[in-house]
């Protein structure tokens, strides 16, 4: 920015929305701002800033950032340079699945359940579920990894061995990139029931 500029105002918009230019003399704080039709991501002197889930970022969305240079010490300031602001676009990766649980555990099967992820629609997404007998996921069960539609929130795993520990993890993948793995969950299948029972003391 020019020597007279000492700060930056950074606005964030979802794809399809356009920011309104800032008004001289107004100091903007971070957060949603209806007059700017934007989320104020940053106001300050740094050229790097953190923008994360706690600031409204959700997975698999295209965001546009608009950066205005600011002269904060001028009379009637801050003054915003609204001519040719710096504009950049980014499409972020999906967020991972969370809250993996198991249910309907039998000797040779169980159900895996998880919560729907807060992802946008910038790219198509699938959920990938991995099930293995070791926590390094080197010995996966037949069919694993399971590639599922993003709308799925459960999967039945069958053809398993009784009284065996299985490890489960998942992630979301888009055509561009993928999320981190979820936390690993484990479950034991049920033991085989007794198949014969007798007594010999009644004689």
């Amino acid at each position: 920015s020019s020597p007279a500029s000492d700060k930056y105002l950074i606005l964030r918009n979802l794809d399809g929305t356009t920011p309104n230019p800032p008004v001289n003399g107004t100091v903007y704080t971070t957060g949603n701002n209806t007059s700017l039709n934007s989320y104020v991501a940053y106001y300050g002197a740094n050229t790097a800033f953190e923008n994360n889930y706690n600031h409204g970022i959700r997975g698999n969305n295209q965001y546009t950032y608009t950066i205005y240079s600011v002269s904060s010490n001028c009379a009637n300031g801050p003054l915003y340079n609204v001519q040719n602001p710096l504009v950049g676009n980014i499409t972020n990766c999906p967020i991972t699945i969370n809250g993996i649980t198991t249910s309907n555990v039998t000797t040779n099967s169980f159900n895996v359940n998880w919560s729907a992820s807060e992802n946008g629609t910038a790219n198509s997404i699938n959920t990938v579920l991995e099930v293995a007998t070791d926590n390094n996921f080197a010995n996966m069960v037949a069919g694993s990894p399971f590639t599922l539609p993003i709308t799925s929130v459960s999967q039945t795993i069958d053809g398993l061995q009784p009284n065996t520990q299985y490890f489960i993890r998942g992630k979301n993948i888009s055509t561009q990139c993928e999320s981190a793995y979820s936390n690993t969950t484990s479950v034991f299948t049920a033991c085989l029931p007794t198949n014969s029972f007798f007594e010999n003391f009644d004689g």
Side-chain angles (χ1 to χ4, degrees):
S1 61
S2 68
S5 300
D6 61 332
K7 291 186 178 180
Y8 301 94
L9 173 68
I10 304 177
L11 307 182
R12 185 186 75 225
N13 286 77
L14 275 170
D15 183 41
T17 62
T18 304
N20 296 324
V23 176
N24 289 338
T26 304
V27 176
Y28 297 100
T29 58
T30 55
N32 285 316
N33 189 293
T34 54
S35 66
L36 293 171
N37 194 39
S38 299
Y39 185 96
V40 178
Y42 180 74
Y43 177 78
N46 295 333
T47 57
F49 67 101
E50 185 176 25
N51 216 205
N52 55 32
Y53 183 86
N54 292 329
H55 298 106
I57 294 291
R58 299 296 181 264
N60 194 42
N61 280 297
Q62 181 175 326
Y63 293 103
T64 299
Y65 287 87
T66 306
I67 304 175
Y68 300 93
S69 59
V70 184
S71 298
S72 65
N73 295 318
C74 295
N76 301 316
L79 304 180
Y80 298 94
N81 183 357
V82 296
Q83 302 298 317
N84 301 315
L86 183 65
V87 177
N89 297 310
I90 186 171
T91 300
N92 61 338
C93 296
I95 62 170
T96 195
I97 63 175
N98 288 300
I100 292 179
T101 60
T102 56
S103 62
N104 299 329
V105 180
T106 70
T107 55
N108 60 8
S109 69
F110 55 80
N111 290 344
V112 181
N113 314 287
W114 59 92
S115 303
S117 303
E118 292 183 274
N119 283 301
T121 58
N123 294 311
S124 59
I125 309 179
N126 290 105
T127 296
V128 173
L129 197 67
E130 296 181 359
V131 182
T133 55
D134 65 300
N135 60 7
N136 293 318
F137 293 86
N139 301 304
M140 295 210 203
V141 303
S144 180
F146 302 91
T147 300
L148 310 167
I150 190 63
T151 53
S152 297
V153 291
S154 66
Q155 173 70 18
T156 299
I157 312 297
D158 52 22
L160 307 177
Q161 297 298 313
N163 191 31
T164 302
Q165 187 176 21
Y166 290 93
F167 297 87
I168 309 146
R169 68 182 181 183
K171 62 182 177 179
N172 289 320
I173 60 171
S174 73
T175 53
Q176 174 180 292
C177 53
E178 62 186 44
S179 73
Y181 278 106
S182 67
N183 292 331
T184 299
T185 300
S186 69
V187 62
F188 276 90
T189 48
C191 296
L192 287 171
T194 301
N195 55 16
S196 63
F197 187 84
F198 62 94
E199 53 83 17
N200 63 356
F201 56 81
D202 57 339

